Amino acid sequence: MNRLRSKLSWWRRRLFGSYRITDPRSLAESAPYTFFLPSENEVLALRRGDLAKLIFQSVPASTDYAAERMWVVITLADGDHLIGQLDNAPIDMPQLRPGSEIRFRRGDVIDLRWGADRPVRPPSAPARRHYEERCLVDSCVLRDGLAVHYLYREAGLPHDEGESPDSGWRIRGDFRAEADDAAIDARRTEWTTIGHVLNADDSWVSLVDAPVGSAYVRNWQSNRFEPESAAAD
């Protein structure tokens, strides 16, 4: 039954469906350590022949994909308004196909590539740090908005080639309301990137490069992190 429903939805989108392009700027604001947009100067420099990546959402919505990120070859640039041809084959958007005409604004662009025919390419934005190393963090920091309370860094676990390395950071959320150590230890934890933790609470970003063996606890009166030994004095 689910397979039949999915097939009917696919045909409905092919025959009657449309799409919308997501404005990515609010996404970038909410995830500044993991979602990076081109600089304003780069976006303003886009012209015919360049490629722009956009976020497409199916209307009606796909049952399998919330959105698809696809490239568009720009054919016309008129101020803030751009027109191009889709340069990808959608995975689950039958209402679109390679070559479909796409109209969008410069603010919709999440990535770009300069056309091969540019004699001089615009300067690229300065490289930004990607916090892709992994860490272990209390879920309440990511899901419930609790601030980081305590963190320490140990030697990272081995990782397979091609995987992001373990930073060794172990991060606990605010546990002032917990009755005992057992309740803290019983918390659900998640294995994620440092960037995702910083999106939730970046108050400790200056400590990211501290060496293995470091440990810090938040002083709630000053709202600053102190080395654990100093906080205990």
Side-chain angles (χ1 to χ4, degrees), residues 79-101:
D80 189 48
H81 299 272
L82 302 170
I83 301 175
Q85 293 181 333
L86 189 63
D87 198 44
N88 293 113
I91 298 173
D92 192 32
M93 296 184 67
Q95 63 271 51
L96 288 173
R97 61 183 182 276
S100 292
E101 182 178 274

Side-chain angles (χ1 to χ4, degrees), residues 30-214:
S30 64
Y33 293 93
T34 55
F35 193 102
F36 304 108
L37 296 177
S39 70
E40 182 178 3
N41 287 338
E42 288 177 307
V43 172
L44 289 174
L46 284 169
R47 69 180 194 188
R48 178 186 174 91
D50 296 331
L51 283 85
K53 182 180 277 190
L54 311 172
I55 302 175
F56 293 80
Q57 290 183 296
S58 183
V59 180
S62 165
T63 57
D64 297 320
Y65 299 91
E68 296 189 42
R69 302 183 182 192
M70 295 185 284
W71 290 97
V72 173
V73 180
I74 298 171
T75 56
L76 177 66
D78 183 11
D80 189 48
H81 299 272
L82 302 170
I83 301 175
Q85 293 181 333
L86 189 63
D87 198 44
N88 293 113
I91 298 173
D92 192 32
M93 296 184 67
Q95 63 271 51
L96 288 173
R97 61 183 182 276
S100 292
E101 182 178 274
I102 308 296
R103 295 173 178 265
F104 58 102
R105 297 177 181 270
R106 292 185 187 270
D108 298 327
V109 177
I110 64 170
D111 199 0
L112 52 82
R113 295 176 184 167
W114 306 122
D117 62 341
R118 278 183 177 267
V120 179
R121 299 192 176 191
S124 298
R128 288 169 287 188
R129 180 170 178 176
H130 290 216
Y131 296 87
E132 297 178 341
E133 300 90 350
R134 297 279 173 168
C135 63
L136 196 64
V137 59
D138 285 347
S139 294
C140 57
V141 173
L142 300 178
R143 312 298 170 190
D144 302 327
L146 266 66
V148 172
H149 186 136
Y150 174 70
L151 64 160
Y152 64 96
R153 190 173 194 181
E154 60 186 13
L157 298 171
H159 64 283
D160 294 332
E161 185 176 354
E163 291 183 350
S164 297
D166 175 15
S167 69
W169 280 113
R170 309 297 180 244
I171 303 164
R172 311 309 307 255
D174 184 0
F175 48 74
R176 290 174 295 172
E178 299 290 357
D180 51 42
D181 291 342
I184 299 172
D185 292 339
R187 283 179 170 181
R188 190 167 72 89
T189 58
E190 297 188 33
W191 180 245
T192 188
T193 65
I194 289 177
H196 280 103
V197 181
L198 292 175
N199 284 338
D201 179 4
D202 66 354
S203 59
W204 62 283
V205 64
S206 63
L207 307 175
V208 165
D209 295 321
V212 170
S214 299

